[in-house]
Amino acid sequence: MKRFILLNAPKGVGKDVAKDYVIQELAKEGITLVHSECKDRLHELTRIVFNIPEKEYWDRYNSRETKELPWDKLRVNISDLMFDFLCDETDIEDSQIIKKEENSWFIDLSIRQAMIYVSELMFKPTFGLEYFSEYRLMNLPDNTIAIDGSCGFSEELDHLIKNVGSENVLLIQIWREGFTFEGDSRSYVYSKELYEKNNIVAVMNQEGKELEFKEKIKSIIKEFINKTEVSK
């Protein structure tokens, strides 16, 4: 049996802080959570598509100063239709446009924009909306409890529920005042099946209450794990 804990929130809301905290704290209690995200495969493919060495890619991605900046190594030549899509999803700025020719645009992308390009304009249209979810699922060993801090696509959630059952999926939506999914291809997701299993929980991360927030997430996850252990 594979179980999944999905954290669904925009960037900056605190999901990575909560995820790392819960992994460390539950490890002290003998509970192993495996960090597994659909975007793990996407990172790999983005590096391959743009021929970027692994260290150089991660150095740029892990730096707050460079992560969101356009990069000439992520230059693409795209159609008007693709350009309009990226503008809608990622807020392409004029400074990123290198040149415009008839029915094509030459633009430098940031890593986040390049990931959206590879996912939404290359792999999902070619291999199906469930490609990244299926790859993640088939590469996880049985009896794994996986935690994913990048949930945000309905088709990936639906695919997961279809394959492991709604009783084995916990969706935690994290909210924080002033933070939205604007400029991101992801969004808050919902499942009636999870709702009926009481496996959707909304948590507010309030300013100045980080420890309380992290402990709340930990408590919710422990309750889910205990519930699914009983039903095994």
Side-chain angles (χ1 to χ4, degrees):
M1 177 178 68
K2 300 174 184 179
R3 288 171 281 177
F4 289 85
I5 299 155
L6 310 176
L7 306 183
N8 181 206
K11 64 178 182 178
V13 166
K15 58 184 182 294
D16 289 335
V17 170
K19 177 191 66 182
D20 293 343
Y21 177 81
V22 171
I23 290 174
Q24 293 172 6
E25 290 298 306
L26 291 188
K28 297 175 185 177
E29 302 180 27
I31 301 172
T32 300
L33 299 183
V34 176
H35 174 216
S36 177
E37 301 183 349
C38 289
K39 73 175 183 180
D40 294 339
R41 176 62 168 166
L42 179 54
H43 277 302
E44 179 184 11
L45 291 172
T46 302
R47 289 194 299 102
I48 291 171
V49 166
F50 289 97
N51 291 318
I52 299 176
E54 185 172 0
K55 184 179 185 304
E56 188 175 4
Y57 178 91
W58 287 113
D59 284 348
R60 190 173 183 93
Y61 181 81
N62 290 324
S63 168
R64 289 188 177 184
E65 288 74 29
T66 58
K67 180 179 179 179
E68 298 293 339
L69 294 179
W71 194 9
D72 58 1
K73 290 192 175 183
L74 300 175
R75 183 168 297 175
V76 291
N77 175 8
I78 56 177
S79 67
D80 290 338
L81 189 61
M82 288 182 172
F83 178 78
D84 290 342
F85 174 85
L86 287 176
C87 285
D88 290 341
E89 295 291 332
T90 69
D91 298 326
I92 297 290
E93 298 180 359
D94 290 344
S95 60
Q96 294 180 244
I97 302 172
I98 306 305
K99 64 177 178 177
K100 170 73 170 76
E101 295 182 352
E102 185 177 359
N103 299 321
S104 67
W105 299 77
F106 292 78
I107 57 176
D108 288 347
L109 303 174
S110 68
I111 287 185
R112 183 176 61 84
Q113 291 168 336
M115 290 172 69
I116 292 173
Y117 169 79
V118 171
S119 172
E120 305 304 309
L121 295 175
M122 293 182 65
F123 277 83
K124 285 184 181 180
T126 303
F127 300 108
L129 297 177
E130 300 169 347
Y131 172 83
F132 292 100
S133 180
E134 179 64 26
Y135 183 89
R136 188 255 302 272
L137 189 62
M138 66 184 287
N139 282 280
L140 274 179
D142 287 335
N143 300 315
T144 296
I145 307 175
I147 185 166
D148 180 350
S150 66
C151 173
F153 295 103
S154 294
E155 62 270 15
E156 293 175 355
L157 175 62
D158 293 342
H159 176 263
L160 208 52
I161 293 170
K162 177 182 176 182
N163 282 273
V164 304
S166 57
E167 68 276 11
N168 293 313
V169 179
L170 172 66
L171 176 64
I172 303 176
Q173 297 179 333
I174 304 174
W175 302 75
R176 188 172 186 175
E177 186 176 357
F179 290 83
T180 71
F181 279 103
E182 184 178 358
D184 197 326
S185 57
R186 297 171 299 171
S187 63
Y188 284 111
V189 294
Y190 174 80
S191 164
K192 182 180 178 181
E193 294 174 76
L194 293 185
Y195 176 79
E196 291 173 346
K197 293 284 186 181
N198 293 317
N199 280 357
I200 295 182
V201 185
V203 178
M204 178 65 73
N205 184 5
Q206 296 178 308
E207 193 72 32
K209 296 184 177 181
E210 183 176 297
L211 181 57
E212 181 180 326
F213 160 69
K214 293 188 294 187
E215 281 291 323
K216 178 67 174 177
I217 299 292
K218 174 187 169 183
S219 174
I220 292 167
I221 290 174
K222 280 194 68 176
E223 182 180 350
F224 167 73
I225 292 172
N226 291 336
K227 181 172 68 174
T228 53
E229 286 289 337
V230 169
S231 63
K232 282 173 64 175

